[in-house]
Amino acid sequence: MKTEVISTVRREDAGTQLGAELIREGGLVAFPTETVYGLGANGMDGEAVNRIFEAKGRPNDNPLILHIAKKSDVKLLWAHVPKLANVLMDTFWPGPLTMIFNKADEVPYEVTAGLETVAVRMPSDKTARMLIQKAGVPIAAPSANRSGRPSPTTAEHVLADMDGRIPLILDGGPCKYGVESTVLSLVGEPTILRPGAVTREMLEAVIGPVKLAPSILNPLGEREVAASPGMKYKHYAPDAEVHVVEGEPKLAAKRIRTLCYAYESEGKRVAILGTEQTMPSYRNLNAYSLGDRDEPETLCANLFRLLRDVGSEVDVILAEGVDPKDTGLAFMNRLLRAAGFSHESV
């Protein structure tokens, strides 16, 4: 299969008609969103959805998100729309918030991994919404990468993983946020299953108390069901081994330098992912800045790109952890899973 790449940077509608036709015919299309690139199929066609799992090499016990173009579409996908959801939609949609509620009978179980709930979001990216509108169906889409790899934030990342596996990639340039959407379950007490750009603090300002799933910064419990994408033990992993060091920045940098020398003495190639504040500590070492630790959204925007680019060139990545507050929670959720929870505190 030849994979075609069409740029939507100058013309947002470029390629969306072809993409919509492929979706309606049961095919796959990679497309940009404000979070990461998605790999889409007709979300109401179970056979089409199964092609996503085949292309990604993804276990089919991992649920997908349905992407819609207008708020009223949730009425077709949920058994009913809870009042809380209307408030959240009015505040955060279109945008990087996914909500989970009891599914309508019409939603195929291939989307929900056999669960009675379904995740829905309305992206703010114009190309994504145009594709959904022209397709005329909700689009089921996980991130457009091979399963377990860092999520793609550029079309080049998608092509590296999906060349020859899918017919079309819509290239909208780099994604704004760089990490996947916040996933909020509305079944029972509002609970964040996966953190993202819409933070717990932002949600609580609108709807009151919001719980955090225990698995956000820890491995999924033995009896805990993966009701959301990104809850599995190891996710977003680059080719290199990743180890995270958390703690006061100067102490963390000192520990990372020590580990770096130890790995290098074993003949291993090492890269350091630090922050603007600690980069002077890594002079003469192979170090890259993730961004400003006081602005964790910058860390999120760069994380997957650096895991991909740097991880293909070294054996070990030593990465700084940050305070898991606000957007820092989303950053640490992705970083710890990329490391398979290999971490230490100093």
Side-chain angles (χ1 to χ4, degrees), residues 243-256:
H243 183 72
V244 181
V245 179
E246 303 171 70
E248 194 275 325
K250 289 184 179 180
L251 293 177
K254 181 178 179 181
R255 175 59 177 160
I256 285 175

Side-chain angles (χ1 to χ4, degrees), residues 52-126:
I52 294 175
F53 294 104
E54 292 168 7
K56 283 177 63 73
R58 176 188 176 108
N60 60 9
D61 62 349
N62 210 351
L64 306 181
I65 294 171
L66 290 177
H67 295 68
I68 59 176
K70 56 184 188 297
K71 297 174 186 175
S72 59
D73 287 346
V74 296
K75 297 176 183 177
L76 307 173
L77 306 176
W78 284 343
H80 69 273
V81 181
K83 292 181 179 179
L84 207 59
N86 285 309
V87 175
L88 292 165
M89 284 188 281
D90 289 343
T91 306
F92 297 107
W93 278 10
L97 174 66
T98 294
M99 289 184 281
I100 291 178
F101 197 63
N102 299 320
K103 81 178 192 71
D105 291 340
E106 293 77 8
V107 175
Y109 283 110
E110 287 85 349
V111 171
T112 69
L115 301 176
E116 295 297 332
T117 56
V118 65
V120 182
R121 95 172 182 98
M122 181 179 172
S124 62
D125 183 272
K126 292 181 179 179

Side-chain angles (χ1 to χ4, degrees), residues 211-227:
K211 295 174 61 178
L212 296 177
S215 60
I216 285 179
L217 295 177
N218 300 284
L220 192 70
E222 287 186 11
R223 298 182 181 180
E224 194 175 357
V225 175

Side-chain angles (χ1 to χ4, degrees), residues 3-4 6 14-24 26-32 37-42 48 52 55 127 131 135 139-144 158 162 165-171:
T3 299
E4 183 177 6
I6 298 177
T16 53
Q17 186 59 46
L18 173 59
E21 291 170 5
L22 286 168
I23 293 290
R24 287 195 297 270
L28 304 181
V29 177
F31 61 98
Y37 275 74
L39 180 60
N42 181 350
I52 294 175
T127 296
L131 176 66
I139 293 182
S143 54
V158 180
M162 291 292 161
R165 292 177 172 271
I166 61 175
L168 179 63
I169 299 170
L170 299 179
D171 180 0

